[in-house]
Amino acid sequence: MSDREPRTDGGTASISARLRRLADGTVVSRVVLYVVLTLAAGFYLVPIESGLVTSFKTGAAIIGTAPFAPPGPAGFTLEKWRMAIAALLRGMGNSLLYAVPATVISAFLGSITAYGLTIPNWKQSYKAPLLALIVAGVFIPYQAVLVPLTQFWSQWVSLTDLLWFVWALGLSDDYAGILELIVTHVAYGLPICTLLFRTYYKTMSEEMMESARLDGASLQRVYQRIVLPLSGPMFAVVLIYQFTQIWNDLLFTLVLVSTESSQAAPIVLILAGLGTSMEGQDFALRMAGAFFAALPTLAVYIFFGDEFAEGVSA
Amino acid sequence: MATLELDSITKTFRDGGGEIIAVDDISMSIDDGEFLVVVGPSGCGKSTMLRMVAGLETVTSGTIALGDRVINDVKSQDRDIAMVFQSYALYPHMTVRENMSFGLEESSELPDDEIARMVSETGELLDISELLDRKPSDLSGGQQQRVALGRAIVRDPEVFLMDEPLSNLDAKLRAQMRTELQRLQADLGVTTVYVTHDQTEAMTMGDRIAILDGGELQQISTPLECYHEPANQFVAGFLGEPSMNFFDVTEQNGRLVGEAFEYPIDEETQANLGGTTDLVFGIRPEAIELDGRASGAHEFETYVDVVEPMGDENTVYLHFDPDSDPEDTETLVATTDGLTQIAEGDTVIARIPEDAIHIFDRETGDTLHNRSVEEAAEQVSLD
């Protein structure tokens, strides 16, 4: 036991004093750190919290309480959520109808294109110009293509006319807008998807792919059995990115579908007009609508979160 | 199984404006079931040559034939060739079993149960049966190496290509795998081309070795022939550790005159020189005798600079002139028995037997005179 006793000679005393000072220093700095972190967290969370509590308030409670204060029992209502869901459900369905296929198709095509661009026995002189075009595609602003885009879909490829047999079956020809959105978003998303996958495939072992070729697998089979199964993390990144991008995009929907009264109106179009009327803004309804509309993007993050982290770090 | 015939194959890469010749007009024929080791310093074109045989690089000119079939334009996947890579290149998302079945599934029409049987047989052969359901990331380097081998063996290809398959292993495991690979290759009897930069692997493993430098084939022969009868100065210097001693000399009236010594040669040796006077004198370290006795024309007084004890033998660095700066004087390297008492600063008599010397043309590097074959043959018969 005696050897556990602290020695009390001068040298040790000064060391322990220094240690104590050091410990005091760490405590202070930790306190400061946590205070700052708490403030930062509050700064980011207060708007969200305010929106959430507002969505549960009656009109009177909104006027009567501070924006971030929770509603009292008298001021609490689910009515606004009910209204928001009723108004947006159709739009939610329509949005999923184009956002999901467009996301999946652009990710898949991007992956295949990137695979093609990383095949080593393709001549660099073929790959380089193609890659330059793809990179250029990333930088074309949405606004720059609005006019040609509407011209393309209204004059050159008018789906309303071309797919008359579908509309003859009783489906509203407003849904031509959904198809147009799918194709447009795939085309617009392809460059960035391709570049993301290309970067990822460049890090894959070239010898592994060569080994698969020597094992008798054709280029398609190598993609199917080696490259695609190993692409999981990058698919998570691309799916989250593309889905959020397409889901939130208002510009293309405004141009291609244009009116919220359309049967095929996406959620963003309806949300834009939700809770605004001649009498003024219904803040609770707008908040409830915004939260409801954001649910799918939240779900995507939660669903692919682990793979996303892996893909981003790759 | 088949013979592999390379007929003056050449590979050039374009580099900016110029062209780089990676493989320069190489011809060789590898017999059915033969184990050929291709060796050379890095950048000598040996891997490029192997990749051309595998179909991973195009052939600029020349032909590659497997049996009677010219395979220049046959795609990799249709060549019936298996390759083991330095990095093992296992498929990380598949179990060992799936890794090994992959090739059979892709290249043959065999039913699943037949493939399963072949995989488990090969697993037993390589002693990896208990690893079959694990993923590559759960295996050690040595185990991954065996799986990579298994993946090649299970396909029973016409030719095995191995690109430095042992260089990622630690020294002990490497020595062990070297023996095992030789045994496996002999059992399976598959034509094998094995690329390495390690001269121990080259000397010990192959039926024949091909030595490459600068994209050109320097010599292809049995290991001992390459060692004792090198075709040129490059081969002589590349094989052997410590490597052969070289001294620039000039022939003057039956004597080889160097900076530090003069060495008389007999008429027979002189006849081999064919009148060339600018020469390089070569002697292997183990051929030098440090008996410290007598003095004759082929004996030289030398001074020990450094002794490196290896246990079984000592590597001794000798100088001809005790007063010279060790940095820029000619050094003679000799090996002696590990128990020989020798110390730095000693003066020893080094005997350079005439039947063990090599003489090269200084300009072309070609061999003009090799050590006497009788003595080499004597050593061969001891094996």
Side-chain angles (χ1 to χ4, degrees), chain A residues 2 6 35 47 59 66 81 92 124 130 144 204 211 241 258 262 270 275 281 287 309:
Chain A
S2 64
V35 167
W81 273 84
M92 172 87 82
Q124 192 61 35
L130 206 57
M204 274 192 186
S211 182
Y241 175 80
S258 70
S262 159
I270 306 175
Q281 302 254 355
M287 292 304 151

Side-chain angles (χ1 to χ4, degrees), chain B residues 158-184:
Chain B
E158 300 229 39
V159 178
F160 280 141
L161 303 178
M162 306 201 181
D163 192 359
E164 313 219 6
L166 304 184
S167 48
N168 283 358
L169 300 178
D170 62 64
K172 203 140 206 150
L173 202 53
R174 186 154 62 221
Q176 196 183 320
M177 282 306 293
R178 214 159 57 206
T179 336
E180 191 165 333
L181 253 177
Q182 268 173 286
R183 204 198 66 224
L184 269 172

Side-chain angles (χ1 to χ4, degrees), chain A residues 38 43 50 74 86-87 91 99 106-107 116 119 123 154 160 162 181 197 200 203 213 263 265 268 277 282 287 292:
Chain A
T38 313
F43 181 77
S50 305
S106 57
I119 291 170
K123 274 197 181 156
S154 63
T160 339
L162 288 172
L181 278 174
F197 274 110
Y200 189 63
T203 64
R213 296 294 300 281
Q263 271 207 40
V268 279
S277 63
D282 184 342
M287 292 304 151
F292 182 66

